[in-house]
Structures are given as structure tokens and as C-alpha cells.
Amino acid sequence: MAQQFSLAACDVVGFDLDHTLCRYNLPESAPLIYNSFAQFLVKEKGYDKELLSVTPEDWDFCCKGLALDLEDGNFLKLADNGTVLRASHGTKMMAPEVLAEAYGKKEWKHFLSDTGMACRSGKYYFYDNYFDLPGALLCARVVDYLTKQNNGQKTFDFWKDIVAAIQHNYKMSAFKENCGIYFPEIKRDPGRYLHSCPESVKKWLRQLKNAGKILLLITSSHSDYCRLLCEYILGNDFTDLFDIVITNALKPGFFSHLPSQRPFRTLENDEEQEALPSLDKPGWYSQGNAVHLYELLKKMTGKPEPKVVYFGDSMHSDIFPARHYSNWETVLILEELRGEEGARSQRPEESEPLEKKGKYEGPKAKPLNTSSKKWGSFFIDSVWGLENTEDSLVYTWSCKRISTYSTIAIPSIEAIAELPLDYKFTRFSSSNSKTAGYYPNPPLVLTSDETLIPK
């Protein structure tokens, strides 16, 4: 495979929406998401109302790349070989000795190195995007509460209540019915939670279109919420930019399921209509599968194997399945690259003051894209040694997946919007260094310590 990647060589450019084309104001959106779940647990399921109060320090628990073991209430940070680097029971971090006794140097029991772990399983949940992260804090605090209530009980059965809270706030009809907390609040004040696309990004999308690229939008959000987001971030004429819009895509199933399992459906007034035997023309659709989409792309480009690149923020829903099942090029939107710079430039006393308390405005979340004091770097960590052993730095499992399944990783679309379309990016590949595919710069923590990490 070529060492370089260029958008000019692609026939089709596809985008995820949430946290990809649409960037959220994380210190505002995180408490809103947390609240949407916590209010449901307290009011509908009888959980302790202490869950509703969150201190600014609590947000430090949030770190992408954690796995929650649903059987014992432990959160785990994994090394690239599947061993456990750090762990907590609820929000309480395990001391190195306890960690060594619980997990040793063995591969975690649910670790699957080749295909990547599923986010959803009866045994564990993997947190890999900013919609999920506030739920990690909530689940950890639920475990704290249940442990205290039940004298250190070893098994936990709260996940069904979390699923019910998700269903209540985010079901397909929730936007239309003004159900739950999340959608009514986003509708009331979108500017508080969403960043509109800068002019450079809008211009770049038009440039792609004018260069003859087919533009796709593939989102798991429903069509009514998708429309609100796109109108806010891109303007009312956003439909002119995209040849095909696919909502309620139910990723990663969009990529992994057979056409018969997940047919496309037409939409009428945001309601899904009959299943389609195939996809015959551009337009706005719901659900669907990558196989039928690719057949249409062949027709539209007149090429037997059109080259597709897909931009997304979730390794689980976007990057891994698009590469693994469809063999598309993939661009990972990795806000941790942005957060690193922010963390360096902003001293604690400069952080945003608590003003204008709104209806759902509690204490500000730390920017979720910055490093957690509890969990350390998203990219590397040291293997906790016991006495008389040296700590050694290793890549995290999350970091390894970036270099394995992403073509390149960027902090935001804005970071590349002013480059010429034929700009040649150095791609991640086995023959390049582990940091090659990060643009514009690799994470500081990797460049300063790269020589220490076993390749």
C-alpha cells in the first residue's frame, strides 16, 4: 500500500455527523447527557438523588477507552496486549497491589485482539465516544452507591436501568415527542451545545463537491435530529452538499450486517417506510447497509471499485467497521489531539467561570478531550510495577487500534480544511512509525517518549 494518502485520489467522501462534522461544546453537552440519564434513574428507578449533584472534580473520571466490566463494576484501562494498566471499582482507583492481585499480567478475560471488542455485550461496555463518556461517570457513581448500600457486594445489576434511561431519552420518537431532557434542551438552545462549522469547512465541502466527489452523510442519529444539527452547523441549504444522507444507520451494524438483515428504508415526514430491495438512486434514507450503498456508488461513479474515505470519531462505530468490513480509507477525528494543546495553554485559574446558571447547568465538566489525572494518557501508560521493578511505558489498546484501523487521525475537520485536496498525508502503516498518521502533529506524549516504548 502507498505510504501516502490523498483526498484527490478518492471518488467518495463520507462523514459521520455527531462529533465529526458537528462538533459539540463538551463542557456544556457532557452535563446535559449526564443529567438526562441521572434524572431518569432517580425519578423513575428510585436511585439516590446524590447522583444528581456532580462536582467539577468528578469529571476527571471521564476518559475515552475504558471498559466497564458489568459483572463486578470495575472500569479498566487496557494495554495493547490486553493486560490491565489501571482499574477502578466504581470511581475508586485500585492500588497497584490490588490491581496486580485482581488482574496480574494476564490478558483481560473479554479481550479480543483481532476484531476489536464490541461496545455492547451482556458482560462489558466499552466507552469510546463523547456521547458515552458522561454515562461512564454515572455508572461509576452508581457502583459506588450500590457497593455502600450492599456492604461491598460483588455483582451488580444496574445496566438494565441505564439501557432504560438511554431508551427514554434517545428513542426514535423522542425528538418529535419532546421526550426526556436531552432533545428539548438542544432544541431550546442549540448554540449553547453545538459549534457551527467554520467557513473554511463549508468552503472545503463545496470544493470536494466541485471536484466531482460524491459526498455521503452516514449517521446513527434519527432524521429529525440530523436535520436540526445540519441546519445549525451548515445552514438551511446543507442538503445541496450531500448526494446521499443515511440516518438511523445503526452503526456498526450498517457495515457488518448483511443486506437482508438491514435493508434501506425510505422516509416520509421522518417516519420510516417500506424496506427497499436495493438502493437505486441518491437521496435521503434510513437504516441500510454498506453493501447496497457500495453498489449504488459503483453506478454513480461508473467504476467497478470506487475508492471511499470515511470520517468518524468512534473507533467502534465508524473507523473499525468501515475499514474491517468495507475496506474503506478512514479518517479518525480525535479530539484528544486538540485537548493536548488546550491543556498546555490554559492554566487552571483561566478556566471558564461559573456564570449564568441555566436550567441544566451544573458545575462545568472538564474538557473531556484532555488527559485525566486518574487514568493518565489516552495513548500510553506505564505498567504498574511492584517494589524493585521499573515501570515501563506501553501503548494503550485504544492507541494501537488508531494506528491499525485509521488511515490518518486529525483533531478536527477544520485542521485540514485549508489544505489543497491533493495534499499527501503520511498514512499509518506497519512500515511507518507508530506516530506517522497523526496530522498536523503526533500527540506530545508519544513524541517525547516514543524511544522508550517497545515497538
Side-chain angles (χ1 to χ4, degrees):
M1 187 180 277
Q3 297 292 295
Q4 295 182 312
F5 163 75
S6 163
L7 285 168
C10 298
D11 305 295
V12 181
V13 186
F15 300 94
D16 172 46
L17 180 55
D18 296 285
H19 301 286
T20 299
L21 261 183
C22 177
R23 283 189 51 240
Y24 284 74
N25 180 7
L26 298 179
E28 294 284 2
S29 62
L32 176 62
I33 293 166
Y34 180 96
N35 229 318
S36 72
F37 298 147
Q39 294 272 4
F40 180 86
L41 292 186
V42 172
K43 290 177 180 170
E44 304 296 327
K45 299 292 180 180
Y47 281 74
D48 193 291
K49 60 178 182 294
E50 268 185 39
L51 288 177
L52 300 176
S53 53
V54 187
T55 69
E57 294 72 39
D58 289 334
W59 289 105
D60 183 62
F61 185 83
C62 293
C63 176
K64 255 173 34 182
L66 301 181
L68 165 58
D69 190 319
L70 294 171
E71 293 171 305
D72 56 23
N74 290 350
F75 286 81
L76 313 173
K77 181 183 184 184
L78 300 173
D80 58 0
N81 64 359
T83 55
V84 179
L85 291 167
R86 301 190 193 200
S88 71
H89 181 69
T91 63
K92 310 292 184 291
M93 300 303 291
M94 288 185 188
E97 301 76 18
V98 179
L99 181 74
E101 190 181 333
Y103 297 103
K105 294 185 177 174
K106 300 191 302 287
E107 192 177 272
W108 182 48
K109 61 188 175 184
H110 298 304
F111 185 72
L112 298 167
S113 56
D114 296 332
T115 56
M117 299 184 308
C119 253
R120 290 169 180 82
S121 152
K123 307 281 188 189
Y124 58 83
Y125 191 90
F126 195 74
Y127 291 91
D128 94 325
N129 66 72
Y130 293 118
F131 268 151
D132 278 352
L133 272 191
L137 174 59
L138 179 64
C139 288
R141 297 184 75 206
V142 165
V143 170
D144 290 346
Y145 167 69
L146 293 175
T147 304
K148 196 163 65 178
Q149 287 291 103
N150 300 308
N151 300 318
Q153 71 173 56
K154 292 287 187 284
T155 55
F156 296 87
D157 187 26
F158 62 88
W159 190 247
K160 63 184 186 304
D161 296 332
I162 299 291
V163 171
I166 294 168
Q167 174 64 11
H168 173 69
N169 280 281
Y170 299 97
K171 64 186 177 184
M172 196 164 180
S173 58
F175 185 95
K176 192 177 280 187
E177 294 169 2
N178 253 11
C179 181
I181 285 173
Y182 182 81
F183 289 128
E185 181 62 12
I186 295 277
K187 282 192 222 180
R188 188 187 69 78
D189 190 2
R192 180 171 164 187
Y193 301 101
L194 310 174
H195 293 297
S196 59
C197 283
E199 206 48 53
S200 61
V201 171
K202 296 177 191 175
K203 188 176 166 189
W204 178 76
L205 290 169
R206 289 192 291 270
Q207 196 183 351
L208 287 167
K209 190 94 170 135
N210 293 339
K213 311 298 179 195
I214 291 170
L215 266 57
L216 311 174
L217 188 59
I218 308 174
T219 174
S220 291
S221 288
H222 299 304
S223 57
D224 41 16
Y225 185 52
C226 171
R227 191 176 294 104
L228 177 141
L229 295 183
C230 288
E231 285 177 356
Y232 183 82
I233 66 168
L234 292 168
N236 294 338
D237 58 351
F238 78 91
T239 49
D240 298 342
L241 290 170
F242 300 103
D243 298 278
I244 301 168
V245 177
I246 299 162
T247 60
N248 194 26
L250 303 166
K251 295 175 291 182
F254 179 85
F255 296 101
S256 61
H257 283 134
L258 298 168
S260 57
Q261 296 173 294
R262 189 67 63 74
F264 279 97
R265 294 178 181 275
T266 53
L267 283 160
E268 212 169 280
N269 298 323
D270 296 315
E271 298 285 341
E272 291 184 344
Q273 304 301 306
E274 74 282 357
L276 300 172
S278 63
L279 201 58
D280 297 323
K281 59 183 184 209
W284 191 303
Y285 299 95
S286 192
Q287 296 198 43
N289 61 85
V291 174
H292 279 168
L293 171 61
Y294 198 64
E295 289 303 317
L296 175 59
L297 296 175
K298 288 181 192 177
K299 272 194 235 173
M300 290 173 71
T301 59
K303 294 184 176 182
E305 291 187 359
K307 187 170 182 178
V308 185
V309 59
Y310 188 64
F311 288 70
D313 70 295
S314 168
M315 180 57 68
H316 169 75
S317 300
D318 301 314
I319 303 301
F320 169 74
R323 169 62 59 85
H324 183 74
Y325 297 106
S326 298
N327 201 29
W328 290 358
E329 300 278 14
T330 52
V331 178
L332 175 65
I333 304 295
L334 189 64
E335 284 221 16
E336 281 67 21
L337 296 175
R338 173 188 289 272
E340 247 197 0
E341 297 305 317
R344 287 167 69 202
S345 63
Q346 189 182 61
R347 296 193 299 277
E349 64 270 20
E350 290 170 351
S351 59
E352 203 171 338
L354 285 177
E355 296 170 345
K356 300 186 306 182
K357 281 218 165 191
K359 192 172 177 189
Y360 294 107
E361 184 162 9
K364 283 279 188 278
K366 79 171 178 97
L368 299 191
N369 54 15
T370 54
S371 193
S372 158
K373 291 189 184 79
K374 281 192 169 179
W375 293 104
S377 168
F378 174 75
F379 301 97
I380 59 168
D381 210 340
S382 43
V383 176
W384 289 93
L386 297 172
E387 297 159 272
N388 306 323
T389 64
E390 285 185 14
D391 289 350
S392 59
L393 288 169
V394 294
Y395 288 108
T396 61
W397 184 67
S398 299
C399 185
K400 182 186 179 185
R401 299 182 89 207
I402 292 169
S403 58
T404 306
Y405 298 112
S406 314
T407 303
I408 60 171
I410 60 177
S412 64
I413 289 174
E414 199 178 337
I416 65 167
E418 294 187 30
L419 298 174
L421 295 186
D422 60 359
Y423 182 89
K424 290 181 169 53
F425 297 93
T426 304
R427 63 165 71 239
F428 288 113
S429 74
S430 52
S431 53
N432 285 333
S433 87
K434 285 272 183 17
T435 58
Y438 293 103
Y439 179 90
N441 299 301
L444 282 169
V445 70
L446 293 188
T447 50
S448 53
D449 295 310
E450 193 177 12
T451 53
L452 304 176
I453 305 173
K455 293 289 185 285

